[in-house]
Amino acid sequence: QVQLVESGGGLVQAGGSLRLSCAASGRTFNNYDMAWFRQAPGLARKFVAGIRSNGQITEYTSTVKGRFAISRNDAENTLYLQMNSLTPYAPAVYYCAATRNFGGLAMGLSEYQYWGQGTQVTVSS
């Protein structure tokens, strides 16, 4: 299995930045596509950003494009999400996810087999 542990969440002022990290262990990290999802209270878990196993292809939901950046460091088995220009929003839990994918970059919740425990992000005004 792949074990995933997120860190870096917390409270930040509007306009500020956070960097989330996801440490992976178990199977070979560089064989997996990785993604970040987020879930606000009462809402469905939604795709935020994804990156292919080779690190060359990324995808973002339109609401974060230009402000967020996903990256991976395979030598450290770590996935990152840099979040800039944060705007006030209800607290949301961000989840790291992994999938062994042979097609295009997956953006569906059901396409990911491994998940972290989540880390909460709150943006205040």
Side-chain angles (χ1 to χ4, degrees):
Q1 292 189 9
V2 174
Q3 291 81 46
L4 305 172
V5 180
E6 302 97 332
S7 62
L11 175 66
V12 64
Q13 294 287 322
S17 299
L18 284 175
R19 188 176 77 158
L20 306 183
S21 298
C22 173
S25 62
R27 296 180 181 177
T28 304
F29 178 70
N30 60 16
N31 288 338
Y32 290 82
D33 293 350
M34 304 291 294
W36 291 96
F37 289 75
R38 67 184 174 193
Q39 185 171 23
L43 301 178
R45 191 175 301 182
K46 297 292 186 181
F47 176 86
V48 177
I51 187 167
R52 294 302 305 269
S53 60
N54 63 10
Q56 294 182 307
I57 300 173
T58 58
E59 186 72 30
Y60 299 90
T61 188
S62 61
T63 58
V64 307
K65 195 169 186 177
R67 299 187 295 114
F68 289 14
I70 188 171
S71 62
R72 63 193 296 159
N73 187 326
D74 289 350
E76 298 179 349
N77 287 352
T78 304
L79 176 75
Y80 299 98
L81 183 67
Q82 179 67 46
M83 305 187 295
N84 298 323
S85 300
L86 289 164
T87 56
Y89 196 75
V93 177
Y94 282 71
Y95 296 91
C96 173
T99 184
R100 188 69 178 93
N101 178 40
F102 295 95
L105 183 62
M107 295 185 287
L109 180 68
S110 64
E111 298 179 79
Y112 286 83
Q113 292 81 55
Y114 302 99
W115 295 86
Q117 82 289 347
T119 184
Q120 184 167 291
V121 174
T122 302
V123 183
S124 66
S125 59

